[in-house]
């Protein structure tokens, strides 16, 4: 039942997604499934090059948004769609929800334009399930400071990440059946238990 599924992981920087993604991937590989782990922006040589520009070069919001969707188009064509077609489980760190949250919520970019770009680029492709790692921006900021040097997004202030969190909430409020909200303030063990419960509820 799980083969050929597209699953995404969302949340603000510092929410602890990476640890849990690997645990879920290992669980499904142990069950004999092909699991493709990937990320956005990124996942192909072209998309990774565009990612570097988005994360580290100064640009206006329209340019940033177009680069993100250009990376997504290449990623879908080269990685996601072929993997789904052969029956793999695609586990992706961020997808279009992040664009609505970061560029739409954080940057204040026009949501109507984002929706049009989503339609053009994805041609109906949406995740089968999205885990939203929801975390207060203040806590996420402390975690990021202890983990790594910040990129262009991670250097933003609490107000920006508060708007990003609100962007996620708005996006997911429109798709409650697709999204499993994870309380990312919990211990890693408690977060893992929430993920397992969401998967079990879907028979996965």
């Amino acid at each position: 039942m799980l083969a050929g599924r597209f699953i995404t992981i969302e949340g603000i920087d510092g929410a602890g997604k990476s640890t849990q993604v690997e645990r879920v991937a290992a669980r499904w590989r142990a069950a004999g499934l092909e699991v493709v782990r990937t990320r956005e922006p990124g996942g192909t040589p072209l998309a990774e090059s565009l990612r570097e520009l988005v994360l580290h070069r100064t640009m206006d919001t329209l340019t940033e948004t177009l680069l993100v969707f250009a990376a997504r188009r290449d990623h879908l064509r080269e990685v996601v769609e072929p993997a789904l077609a052969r029956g793999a489980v695609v586990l992706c760190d961020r997808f279009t929800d992040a664009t609505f949250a970061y560029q739409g919520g954080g940057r204040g970019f026009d949501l109507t334009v984002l929706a049009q770009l989503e339609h053009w680029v994805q041609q109906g492709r949406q995740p089968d399930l999205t885990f939203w790692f929801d975390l207060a921006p203040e806590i996420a900021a402390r975690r990021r400071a202890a983990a790594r040097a910040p990129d262009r997004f991670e250097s933003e202030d609490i107000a920006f990440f508060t708007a990003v969190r609100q962007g996620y909430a708005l996006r997911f409020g429109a798709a409650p059946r697709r999204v499993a909200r994870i309380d990312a303030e919990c211990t890693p063990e408690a977060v893992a238990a929430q993920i397992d419960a969401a998967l079990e509820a879907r028979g996965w």
Side-chain angles (χ1 to χ4, degrees), residues 5 13 28 37 42 46 48 61 72 90-91 96 106 142 147 156 160-161 202:
R5 300 286 185 177
D13 300 281
W28 289 335
R37 277 196 61 184
L46 173 59
E48 290 291 335
T61 302
R72 180 163 299 128
V90 177
L91 194 55
T96 310
R142 291 198 295 270
E156 295 284 355
F160 174 83
F161 282 103
R202 289 165 171 79

Side-chain angles (χ1 to χ4, degrees), residues 4 7 13 17 20 75 78 87 105 110 130 139 142 146 148 190:
I7 298 165
D13 300 281
K17 302 186 306 299
Q20 299 297 335
H75 185 222
E78 298 297 324
D110 190 326
T130 298
I139 298 173
R142 291 198 295 270
R148 58 186 177 267

Side-chain angles (χ1 to χ4, degrees), residues 47-194:
E48 290 291 335
S49 296
L50 295 176
R51 176 189 179 90
E52 286 301 306
L53 294 174
V54 169
L55 293 185
H56 301 294
R57 296 289 293 273
T58 301
M59 62 189 71
D60 73 354
T61 302
L62 176 57
T63 302
E64 180 180 286
T65 301
L66 291 173
L67 288 177
V68 167
F69 272 108
R72 180 163 299 128
R73 178 64 177 170
D74 193 59
H75 185 222
L76 283 166
R77 284 174 53 84
E78 298 297 324
V79 175
V80 175
E81 296 295 352
L84 294 175
R86 65 177 183 265
V89 179
V90 177
L91 194 55
C92 187
D93 185 350
R94 295 210 174 103
F95 192 57
T96 310
D97 295 317
T99 310
F100 277 80
Y102 278 80
Q103 281 72 45
R107 304 287 195 215
F109 193 76
D110 190 326
L111 298 182
T112 303
V113 176
L114 289 181
Q116 187 64 62
L117 289 167
E118 178 183 32
H119 173 71
W120 287 341
V121 168
Q122 295 168 219
Q123 300 180 355
R125 171 61 67 192
Q126 292 292 341
D128 296 293
L129 171 64
T130 298
F131 290 110
W132 175 27
F133 282 57
D134 188 23
L135 185 66
E138 296 82 2
I139 298 173
R142 291 198 295 270
R143 291 181 181 179
R144 291 194 304 273
R148 58 186 177 267
D151 60 35
R152 193 165 67 90
F153 287 90
E154 293 170 341
S155 298
E156 295 284 355
D157 60 18
I158 294 297
F160 174 83
F161 282 103
T162 298
V164 170
R165 188 186 191 190
Q166 291 169 346
Y168 271 128
L170 179 66
R171 173 77 168 173
F172 294 149
R177 296 183 64 182
R178 171 172 67 85
V179 178
R181 178 187 174 275
I182 304 297
D183 181 357
E185 189 174 347
C186 298
T187 65
E189 294 76 15
V191 169
Q194 293 177 71

Side-chain angles (χ1 to χ4, degrees), residues 26-45:
R27 162 182 168 162
W28 289 335
R29 289 190 183 109
L33 294 167
E34 179 191 359
V35 179
V36 175
R37 277 196 61 184
T38 189
R39 67 178 182 177
E40 287 210 352
T44 70

